[in-house]
Amino acid sequence: MENKNLLAIAREFGSPVYVYDSSKISSQYNRLTDAFKNVKRLKLNYAVKALSNLAILKLMNSLGAGLDTVSIQEVKLGLLAGVKPEDIIFTPNGVSLEEIEQVSAMGVQINIDNLSILEQFGTKHPSVPVCIRVNPHVMAGGNSNISVGHIDSKFGISIHQIPHILRIVENTGMNINGIHMHTGSDILDIDVFLYASEILFDTAKNFNNLDFIDFGSGFKVPYKTGDIETNIEEFGKKLTKRFNTFCAAYGKELTLGFEPGKFLVSEAGYFLANVNVVKQTTSTVFAGIDSGFNHLIRPMLYNSHHEIINISNPEGRERFYSVVGYICETDTFATNRRISEITEGDIIAFKNAGAYCFSMASNYNSRFRPAEILWHNEEAHLIRKRETFDDLTKNQVDVDIFSKVSESIS
């Protein structure tokens, strides 16, 4: 997207506002499918938690993607967006047996990641196809906060517990149709991921009637100019060769599955905010914007980097700014960042704002969550209205108890 498009959106819809470029999402989807074009059966399930707007889910469905969901609410959103139940996989963590049963009744693929629920579900529903999520104990991500493959992770069943899994499957007679892993986000070294894949292949050999093997996702995208990213093309060639070899030895053509979230939507997203104030202190120049970690928490939560550009003055002389929010907490988006000279009233844009940005937004400080815009076919489409004061209070219950307390005291 060009700066003029983003500025026009900020003028029309106000700020702060999230903007998503549908063409970038489509190109990322096509890039991933092209990397695995020599796999006969490929299934990409978009990770809904990254960005769950219904318009985005409809876009994914139109591209041919299924959905990876982690809650019954995400499943319902997928169904509302027109995705078929058989194109949805449910990979929760720490949810009740009741929630898993409710989702299973919808015809959605179940993925179970702990021994207790596996045994309970298998005992009650032995004929229902179930995928098993294993923990390969491999750190494939670059950030320990978003890596879920380490030995102390709450996610997945340890590969050291394979004998326990096999005993449960044998005792219950349950139907295991898939094996799954997810090592975490920001995978840098594809050889480490391929090593984890070998563990998954070895696990799959224990089951005779699989339909698919799901390798999760976590591919790294660039966050700044010159930044490293997962080499999807090289990874596709190497894993395709190994997967096809495994299928030949297994005696059955399996589906190769992935669950990309950030890879598909991160670079497609922009977060636009208005500069309320430029404040000079003894050592720092602050650019205070009309937002905070209530709208974009990733820099504070994960120390994540988002490029920040002044789209009102992109060619201006660069100065050093600390970009901060209007929340009554420390909500620093960037410290001493080189940005084109900022004046009050300018619109700045945060890049890589498509994944885990709006989906983690809140109403902290009783602020409204922003609008969302889909840029599609060179037009801006409102896909979520900006919240209003009525939205803050609509679920609160006005109870008339304090006047009665006052009367009793008097």
Side-chain angles (χ1 to χ4, degrees):
M1 295 189 64
E2 298 180 8
N3 287 348
K4 64 179 182 180
N5 305 131
L6 296 172
L7 284 171
I9 288 171
R11 285 193 296 268
E12 181 177 357
F13 299 98
S15 71
V17 60
Y18 276 100
V19 184
Y20 313 116
D21 183 358
S22 68
S23 65
K24 182 62 178 179
I25 295 173
S26 299
S27 67
Q28 287 293 94
Y29 181 86
N30 292 334
R31 182 184 171 196
L32 194 52
T33 55
D34 287 345
F36 290 91
K37 61 185 177 183
N38 292 322
V39 173
K40 292 183 180 179
R41 293 170 54 185
L42 176 69
K43 184 63 177 297
L44 303 183
N45 292 314
Y46 167 65
V48 176
K49 59 183 176 290
L51 177 59
S52 60
N53 190 289
L54 283 171
I56 299 299
L57 303 188
K58 290 180 180 180
L59 172 60
M60 295 299 177
N61 189 35
S62 71
L63 293 172
L67 299 180
D68 166 52
T69 59
V70 297
S71 70
I72 190 171
Q73 289 82 6
E74 286 188 351
V75 172
K76 290 180 178 180
L77 283 174
L79 296 174
L80 185 60
V83 181
K84 297 177 181 178
E86 58 267 30
D87 289 328
I88 301 175
I89 186 170
F90 182 53
T91 308
N93 177 260
V95 305
S96 67
L97 175 64
E98 289 73 22
E99 182 169 337
I100 293 176
E101 289 178 319
Q102 289 176 40
V103 172
S104 176
M106 300 175 183
V108 170
Q109 172 70 55
I110 301 300
N111 191 6
I112 295 179
D113 82 333
N114 73 85
L115 292 172
S116 174
I117 296 297
L118 184 68
E119 184 170 4
Q120 293 179 63
F121 189 87
T123 300
K124 294 181 66 176
H125 311 282
S127 63
V128 175
V130 169
C131 178
I132 294 176
R133 176 175 182 172
V134 299
N135 181 349
H137 301 315
V138 173
M139 290 275 286
N143 184 333
S144 60
N145 290 323
I146 51 179
S147 178
V148 297
H150 55 85
I151 195 166
D152 287 327
S153 173
K154 71 171 185 171
F155 299 95
I157 303 173
S158 168
I159 55 170
H160 302 305
Q161 294 177 306
I162 296 299
H164 297 271
I165 296 174
L166 296 177
R167 186 174 70 243
I168 289 172
V169 172
E170 181 180 0
N171 290 342
T172 61
M174 63 190 306
N175 178 10
I176 304 302
N177 71 331
I179 298 295
H180 169 279
M181 76 169 184
H182 179 60
T183 59
S185 295
D186 286 357
I187 296 171
L188 305 174
D189 189 343
I190 63 174
D191 288 330
V192 175
F193 190 89
L194 290 168
Y195 169 74
S197 300
E198 289 299 326
I199 296 174
L200 201 60
F201 286 132
D202 286 339
T203 302
K205 293 176 184 177
N206 293 288
F207 304 92
N208 298 323
N209 298 306
L210 296 179
D211 294 322
F212 66 93
I213 300 179
D214 191 326
F215 294 86
S217 184
F219 308 126
K220 189 182 186 307
V221 297
Y223 292 98
K224 52 189 173 183
T225 303
D227 197 8
I228 55 177
E229 60 179 308
T230 305
N231 189 330
I232 291 296
E233 288 72 26
E234 180 185 358
F235 177 61
K237 291 179 182 178
K238 289 184 175 181
L239 185 58
T240 293
K241 182 179 179 180
R242 181 65 185 91
F243 183 77
N244 289 340
T245 299
F246 176 83
C247 288
Y250 190 76
K252 180 181 179 181
E253 203 66 56
L254 301 177
T255 295
L256 189 158
F258 286 110
E259 298 161 1
K262 183 186 298 183
F263 180 83
L264 294 180
V265 298
S266 178
E267 295 173 274
Y270 300 83
F271 181 56
L272 311 182
N274 182 76
V275 178
N276 285 337
V277 61
V278 177
K279 179 179 180 179
Q280 174 91 48
T281 67
T282 54
S283 61
T284 303
V285 180
F286 290 102
I289 63 174
D290 61 348
S291 182
F293 69 58
N294 55 319
H295 296 153
L296 178 57
I297 197 173
R298 294 186 75 250
M300 283 65 77
L301 184 63
Y302 294 130
N303 195 33
S304 62
H305 180 95
H306 291 263
E307 284 286 277
I308 302 173
I309 57 175
N310 182 0
I311 60 175
S312 296
N313 184 29
E315 304 301 325
R317 178 173 62 92
E318 290 187 340
R319 297 187 62 189
F320 287 93
Y321 295 93
S322 289
V323 180
V324 296
Y326 63 1
I327 292 298
C328 193
E329 300 276 356
T330 300
D331 56 351
T332 304
F333 295 102
T335 302
N336 292 327
R337 186 79 64 83
R338 291 176 66 95
I339 304 172
S340 297
E341 188 167 13
I342 297 174
T343 57
E344 293 166 359
D346 281 351
I347 300 295
I348 63 173
F350 294 79
K351 293 187 175 182
N352 282 92
Y356 304 101
C357 293
F358 184 94
S359 62
M360 300 179 80
S362 74
N363 291 119
Y364 187 53
N365 280 194
S366 298
R367 295 290 188 178
F368 307 140
R369 283 182 291 186
E372 290 181 292
I373 306 298
L374 183 66
W375 181 253
H376 183 66
N377 291 335
E378 300 300 313
E379 292 185 4
H381 302 269
L382 179 67
I383 59 174
R384 186 189 300 269
K385 296 178 181 178
R386 187 179 312 280
E387 290 182 334
T388 66
F389 189 74
D390 288 340
D391 293 316
L392 289 183
T393 59
K394 67 181 179 181
N395 289 326
Q396 298 188 42
V397 179
D398 185 10
V399 291
D400 187 20
I401 58 174
F402 303 107
S403 59
K404 296 178 182 178
V405 173
S406 300
E407 291 173 1
S408 64
I409 293 175
S410 60

